[in-house]
Amino acid sequence: MTHALVIENLTKRYKDFTLDKISFTLPQGTILGIIGENGSGKSTLINTMLGIIPSDYSRLDILGRDLKTKPNEIKSDLAVIFDDAGYDEYFTPLQIGRFLSYVYPNWNMNMFRSYLHRFGLPAKKRLKTFSRGMRTKLEFAIAFSHDPKFLIMDEATNGLDPIFRDEILELLREFSEEENHTVLIASHITSDLDKIADYVAFLHQGKLLFFQPYDKLQNEYGILTCKNSFLCNLNPADVVFYRKEEYNCRVLVKNRFALAKIFQDMEILPATLEDLMLFYTKGEKLK
């Protein structure tokens, strides 16, 4: 199997925060969703793996190339969309497109114009007249116009309306259907990742709590709602975390299909990524 990303023991230390020994391997042709609360290390991870900020690691390969020895080869096959790209506000999309034709060897100006039209972006208006959502749409037009192999997005769908977000998700699905195309997206909008992610990485306070295939998370975890008194009937080995509410208790369980056979009169719903975040960060362990 070809890997788009291999990270081993990546660590970045600040005075008040440490991204601590992150390791995982992402197959090519997949979509990875990175989740975690504000300050969990999502942006730090992306910036370190791109070499924007220095870090310590045992291994860091992108598209089969070592970041230290082949950074330029890697960058030519990457498209990166940040929350704020930082283009000069007096540039127009066409001016940016002409500039990028000298940056990317595979730049396709006709495709870029096509995306501008598709996204309803004026080609000759200055960026200072663009809304936040329009600027984000421009970033996607740029990203899809130079034949990248690996698309990396950090909170890139913030500020987009639900209709355009859905269109972007469809574009990402189409992009990743080609075997050599991979997507990494860090987002607070976990419902978007529920729709498209093949793998999920969950960062909490600089630590990687899990890196799992999305299907495995869906098949393994479930939410059981019960009375507080019912907790004593559950095996602690089956309970990941629980949260007491005003009138009942919500329980994050694993082996949900097996438990559904035991407690046939109780509904055990699949856990969303938002559920997992809440339980892992605010839940209690059953003793």
Side-chain angles (χ1 to χ4, degrees), residues 17 35-37 39-41 202-209 277 280-282:
F17 175 80
I35 62 175
E37 71 275 25
S40 62
F202 182 17
L203 288 174
H204 177 57
Q205 297 179 351
K207 296 183 181 296
L208 182 64
L209 296 190
M277 282 185 61
Y280 267 88
T281 57
K282 296 184 177 182

Side-chain angles (χ1 to χ4, degrees), residues 1-286:
M1 178 184 291
T2 304
H3 297 125
L5 180 62
V6 179
I7 297 177
E8 294 180 2
N9 299 314
L10 188 150
T11 299
K12 176 62 182 179
R13 291 184 174 86
Y14 293 101
K15 183 177 180 180
D16 55 353
F17 175 80
T18 299
L19 189 67
D20 193 19
K21 296 180 181 178
I22 306 299
S23 298
F24 62 83
T25 299
L26 179 66
Q28 206 164 17
T30 60
I31 298 177
L32 168 64
I34 301 180
I35 62 175
E37 71 275 25
N38 289 332
S40 62
K42 300 189 298 298
S43 294
T44 301
L45 174 59
I46 288 175
N47 286 324
T48 53
M49 60 174 273
L50 291 174
I52 295 172
I53 56 178
S55 62
D56 299 315
Y57 52 83
S58 302
R59 182 181 177 187
L60 180 47
D61 292 352
I62 300 176
L63 299 173
R65 303 171 185 132
D66 176 65
L67 180 64
K68 287 181 179 177
T69 60
K70 298 183 178 179
N72 291 332
E73 291 181 30
I74 291 172
K75 289 175 183 177
S76 66
D77 284 331
L78 292 183
V80 183
I81 303 178
F82 291 112
D83 189 28
D84 181 12
Y87 290 112
D88 191 306
E89 291 200 337
Y90 285 90
F91 284 0
T92 68
L94 278 185
Q95 288 173 327
I96 292 172
R98 293 189 186 103
F99 168 75
L100 293 176
S101 68
Y102 295 100
V103 175
Y104 295 110
N106 295 324
W107 181 256
N108 188 326
M109 194 66 180
N110 288 333
M111 183 177 291
F112 180 58
R113 288 176 181 271
S114 175
Y115 275 115
L116 292 180
H117 177 73
R118 177 174 178 174
F119 295 160
L121 298 175
K124 297 182 179 181
K125 282 194 174 182
R126 299 184 189 277
L127 262 59
K128 68 177 183 177
T129 67
F130 280 30
S131 67
R132 181 185 180 91
M134 291 171 69
R135 294 182 187 216
T136 303
K137 291 178 183 181
L138 176 61
E139 285 297 308
F140 279 100
I142 292 169
F144 287 118
S145 297
H146 64 88
D147 191 30
K149 302 296 185 293
F150 197 167
L151 175 59
I152 298 171
M153 302 156 56
D154 188 6
E155 304 293 351
T157 55
N158 284 358
L160 296 180
D161 63 77
I163 295 174
F164 186 71
R165 282 213 326 271
D166 192 65
E167 184 177 353
I168 288 298
L169 296 183
E170 187 59 37
L171 282 172
L172 295 177
R173 287 192 199 95
E174 293 173 7
F175 178 81
S176 66
E177 283 174 359
E178 294 191 32
E179 273 188 32
N180 63 340
H181 285 177
T182 306
V183 177
L184 182 156
I185 174 170
S187 178
H188 286 100
I189 308 174
T190 55
S191 58
D192 285 352
L193 301 180
D194 275 310
K195 296 175 183 176
I196 63 170
D198 299 306
Y199 290 84
V200 177
F202 182 17
L203 288 174
H204 177 57
Q205 297 179 351
K207 296 183 181 296
L208 182 64
L209 296 190
F210 63 71
F211 175 89
Q212 293 284 354
Y214 180 83
D215 287 347
K216 182 177 180 181
L217 294 175
Q218 283 290 285
N219 290 330
E220 182 171 346
Y221 292 105
I223 305 294
L224 183 151
T225 302
C226 62
K227 298 293 184 183
N228 291 334
S229 58
F230 186 80
L231 280 174
C232 63
N233 296 308
L234 296 173
N235 185 339
D238 294 324
V239 176
V240 185
F241 294 102
Y242 71 91
R243 297 186 68 196
K244 289 185 177 180
E245 299 178 343
E246 187 173 0
Y247 298 109
N248 54 31
C249 185
R250 297 181 76 233
V251 187
L252 178 66
V253 298
K254 52 188 176 181
N255 304 318
R256 72 180 180 94
F257 290 114
L259 287 178
K261 293 179 181 179
I262 298 173
F263 304 108
Q264 296 183 14
D265 58 338
M266 305 184 72
E267 188 176 29
I268 303 178
L269 299 173
T272 65
L273 295 181
E274 183 175 339
D275 289 328
L276 293 177
M277 282 185 61
L278 289 173
F279 275 97
Y280 267 88
T281 57
K282 296 184 177 182
E284 299 180 58
K285 280 285 190 181
L286 184 63

